[in-house]
Amino acid sequence: MSKGLRSWVQANWVDIANPKKGGGFPKCGRSGGEKRRNYPKCVPAAKARSMSASQRASAVSRKQKAEKKTRTNKKPNYAKT
C-alpha cells in the first residue's frame, strides 16, 4: 500500500493555512522574502481537496496551537492532519 518516499517527495504539497483569494491554495514553502498571514500547514493537494472546510480549519488550528510550543533543535512542531 505504501508508495514510498519518492512519491511522497514528488507530491504536490500545498499550504492550507493561507488560501488564495480566487480559490485554491499556494504551493508549500516561501520564495525570497515572501510573507504569509499564518504559519504554513502543508498537505498534499489531493489530501487538501478531500478535506472539508471544517477539517482544514481544524488542522490549521492544531498547527497554530503546536507552533506556540517551544521548538527543539530548530525542527518544526508536528500537528496531526
Side-chain angles (χ1 to χ4, degrees), residues 32-61:
E34 178 186 356
K35 298 280 186 189
R36 293 197 183 163
R37 203 171 125 229
N38 297 317
Y39 193 87
K41 171 64 178 161
C42 297
V43 295
K47 175 74 173 172
R49 278 192 302 271
S50 70
M51 297 170 81
S52 68
S54 62
Q55 286 174 322
R56 287 192 298 266
S58 178
V60 170
S61 174

Side-chain angles (χ1 to χ4, degrees), residues 6-36:
R6 186 176 307 270
S7 63
W8 182 85
V9 170
Q10 291 175 342
N12 180 24
W13 289 81
V14 295
D15 176 8
I16 62 173
N18 298 289
K20 292 181 181 177
K21 288 184 180 176
F25 303 100
K27 286 196 172 285
C28 202
R30 298 179 186 175
S31 59
E34 178 186 356
K35 298 280 186 189
R36 293 197 183 163

Side-chain angles (χ1 to χ4, degrees), residues 57-75:
S58 178
V60 170
S61 174
R62 281 192 301 273
K63 179 66 173 186
Q64 288 173 341
K65 184 179 177 184
E67 282 302 316
K68 288 181 181 176
K69 297 178 183 175
T70 58
R71 294 179 183 216
T72 56
N73 302 326
K74 297 186 179 182
K75 293 181 181 176

